[in-house]
Amino acid sequence: MLEIINCQIESKTWCITLPDIQVHKGELLVITGPSGIGKSTLLHWLLGNNPQHVTIKGQIILSGANITDLPIELRQVGLLMQDVLLFPHLDVQDNICFALPKNPQLSSKKQRRAAAMDLLEQINLAHLAVRYPQNLSGGERSRVGLIRALANQPQVMLLDEPFAALDPTTRQQMGAWGFQQLAQQNIPSVMVSHDVDDIPVSAQQLCLADYYHVLESNNQ
């Protein structure tokens, strides 16, 4: 479970004070609000990439552990963005190999490639294994991007408008498929979205505009 406690985002002119948030395993929280209000900023704070233009206070509790002060590489937090940054010089299988965790069961190149292929077979994408990113469609890139993010076995997944660049039909299909994968693996997820059509009916919603306040000193 992901918990966000006593979170406050403050700039020189405005402040957002959020209620305490809980996202249970397999659940999705969608963060909405107008452009520039801090949706992606909040997401990057959860990732561990502390923004410089605002101050964010609060605690991030993941599976009972306080990860607020941990560096990115120790948080076990996955990230999928609109621009799926696959390595262009690696085929799909090796892109996934790169993301697999380092442990004794995956110590050799053969073991890692077998594990990557198993992930692709589970979602019927084995036929893409030897393709390079530049030879994938937008929907295929999104699928591979999500599987690569899941390959690292994150405890929570962050999604920053991951399907926004796709055409409407593909975006709808990718959203349904992606949220199903996350729910099946019991991963709590947080997504930023501008489009209400991208939000599943079952998702929690948090509109940052509801908690936005102009600081009093700027009204004088």
Side-chain angles (χ1 to χ4, degrees):
M1 181 173 67
L2 171 68
E3 298 175 83
I4 304 170
I5 301 172
N6 296 327
C7 181
Q8 185 176 73
I9 309 170
E10 186 173 328
S11 77
K12 294 180 179 179
T13 59
W14 54 265
C15 177
I16 294 174
T17 302
L18 295 176
D20 290 349
I21 297 163
Q22 291 185 343
V23 187
H24 294 269
K25 291 183 177 181
E27 290 184 345
L28 172 67
L29 169 68
V30 180
I31 300 171
T32 62
S35 296
I37 200 170
K39 299 185 298 297
S40 293
T41 297
L42 178 59
L43 211 64
H44 281 274
W45 176 68
L46 294 173
L47 179 68
N49 182 18
N50 291 321
Q52 302 299 312
H53 62 291
V54 296
T55 299
I56 303 186
K57 301 175 183 177
Q59 292 185 327
I60 307 167
I61 310 297
L62 186 56
S63 300
N66 190 331
I67 66 168
T68 311
D69 297 322
L70 288 181
I72 292 176
E73 63 272 16
L74 297 180
R75 290 193 177 206
Q76 291 185 285
V77 175
L79 175 66
L80 186 64
M81 304 179 69
Q82 181 175 329
D83 295 323
V84 181
L85 302 177
L86 301 175
F87 296 113
H89 62 290
L90 298 178
D91 64 22
V92 166
Q93 186 177 14
D94 284 337
N95 260 282
I96 295 172
C97 282
F98 185 86
L100 289 167
K102 295 177 173 59
N103 60 48
Q105 290 74 37
L106 297 170
S107 59
S108 71
K109 183 176 181 179
K110 182 178 180 180
Q111 288 172 323
R112 297 179 74 80
R113 286 179 63 82
M117 183 59 77
D118 183 57
L119 285 173
L120 289 170
E121 288 174 347
Q122 287 178 28
I123 56 167
N124 299 316
L125 290 182
H127 61 286
L128 299 180
V130 297
R131 287 197 201 173
Y132 285 81
Q134 58 269 31
N135 297 321
L136 299 175
S137 68
E140 288 170 342
R141 286 177 63 89
S142 293
R143 282 181 167 86
V144 172
L146 178 58
I147 290 306
R148 189 180 69 168
L150 291 173
N152 198 36
Q153 300 176 6
Q155 294 297 303
V156 63
M157 182 66 72
L158 308 178
L159 306 108
D160 196 348
E161 298 197 84
F163 315 127
L166 304 175
D167 65 81
T169 300
T170 305
R171 185 168 71 232
Q172 186 177 25
Q173 293 172 343
M174 264 306 305
W177 180 85
F179 300 136
Q180 181 185 47
Q181 296 297 316
L182 292 165
Q184 286 178 347
Q185 297 194 33
N186 282 324
I187 297 175
S189 306
V190 181
M191 181 176 78
V192 162
S193 179
H194 282 99
D195 194 335
V196 294
D197 292 334
D198 289 343
I199 303 175
V201 176
S202 60
Q204 297 183 55
Q205 291 189 47
L206 179 73
C207 181
L208 296 190
D210 293 342
Y211 306 97
Y212 177 95
H213 301 282
V214 175
L215 295 178
E216 291 183 6
S217 60
N218 293 283
N219 289 326
Q220 299 176 357

